[in-house]
Amino acid sequence: PYLAKSKIEKLNLIPGAILEGNLTPPQKLDLPHVEDMKYSNLHYVRKCSSEEFEKALKNTVFNSIEEGFDNKLPGNGQKVIPHNDPPSKSIITLFLKPGQIEIVSNQYKAGEIRLHLKDNDEKDYQYLSITDFGFHGLTISMQNDYSYIQRLNDFIRNQQRLYLRVGLGRRYK
């Protein structure tokens, strides 16, 4: 389920947290957001091991954004999927080489960052929003350091394995 920031903080959740609780699907599931669940009695069980976390990521790996989202992208570098023909899922994992992504400044809003990505099909996606809760907190704390974008990119480029979660936003209604 999606959890509000206040709930994440209350449960003291970190990436890789294993939770238990009562999960039930809503009356009407809106594709592609099949992960939507109502929940009750949600509680933290334990942190998963690195091996368990990587296995969970590998279970959702796709070669490209188009493959992961059922080839629903219209092409020409567009990042909008037509609402009348949604893919079967709203979040995927890509296994990339560190040089395939780059953190950049948002040229339209000072202090914000975006992501440039070239997937394994050699398709470029530019100025993607970064919504990861932990990553967002890290970048906010580093905003006054003018070299932080370069340091983030250096850190990423030095990784041996890189899994990137890519998700679809909800349609504006």
Side-chain angles (χ1 to χ4, degrees):
Y2 285 108
L3 301 176
K5 181 179 175 183
S6 59
K7 186 71 168 178
I8 291 169
E9 290 170 343
K10 181 179 177 187
L11 292 172
N12 198 26
L13 296 182
I14 56 172
I18 296 175
L19 307 175
E20 283 185 352
N22 300 320
L23 303 174
T24 54
Q27 293 270 346
K28 183 179 182 293
L29 207 55
D30 275 336
L31 284 177
H33 297 280
V34 296
E35 69 282 352
D36 286 351
M37 292 282 169
K38 294 180 181 183
Y39 62 88
S40 61
N41 301 320
L42 197 61
H43 63 278
Y44 174 87
V45 176
R46 66 179 174 86
K47 182 179 183 239
C48 69
S49 69
S50 296
E51 293 79 19
E52 289 173 310
F53 194 76
E54 186 169 18
K55 183 179 179 185
L57 290 171
K58 284 180 177 179
N59 284 337
T60 59
V61 165
F62 290 89
N63 193 52
S64 68
I65 289 178
E66 283 193 7
E67 177 191 9
F69 295 126
D70 307 328
N71 298 305
K72 302 288 184 172
L73 290 164
N76 301 327
Q78 292 185 35
K79 298 178 283 189
V80 177
I81 295 174
H83 70 88
N84 58 347
D85 189 20
S88 60
K89 66 198 87 43
S90 68
I91 190 162
I92 62 169
T93 305
L94 298 175
F95 184 71
L96 303 169
K97 295 179 186 101
Q100 290 176 263
I101 70 169
E102 180 182 20
I103 307 294
V104 297
S105 294
N106 182 349
Q107 60 187 352
Y108 300 107
K109 189 168 182 186
E112 276 194 4
I113 59 173
R114 295 284 190 236
L115 179 77
H116 287 347
L117 157 67
K118 180 179 286 223
D119 69 12
N120 295 311
D121 278 353
E122 298 288 315
K123 298 233 169 99
D124 286 312
Y125 300 89
Q126 297 188 347
Y127 297 104
L128 299 174
S129 297
I130 301 172
T131 58
D132 180 86
F133 183 65
F135 193 83
H136 182 71
L138 171 68
T139 59
I140 293 291
S141 71
M142 297 174 72
Q143 277 190 38
N144 294 328
D145 177 354
Y146 294 106
S147 67
Y148 84 99
I149 291 176
Q150 184 60 48
R151 290 188 309 138
L152 285 170
N153 283 317
D154 290 345
F155 176 78
I156 291 167
R157 286 187 192 102
N158 285 312
Q159 300 309 301
Q160 294 179 355
R161 294 185 313 274
L162 180 66
Y163 293 92
L164 180 69
R165 300 283 284 161
V166 178
L168 300 176
R170 294 188 183 274
R171 181 174 169 223
Y172 181 78
K173 294 182 181 185

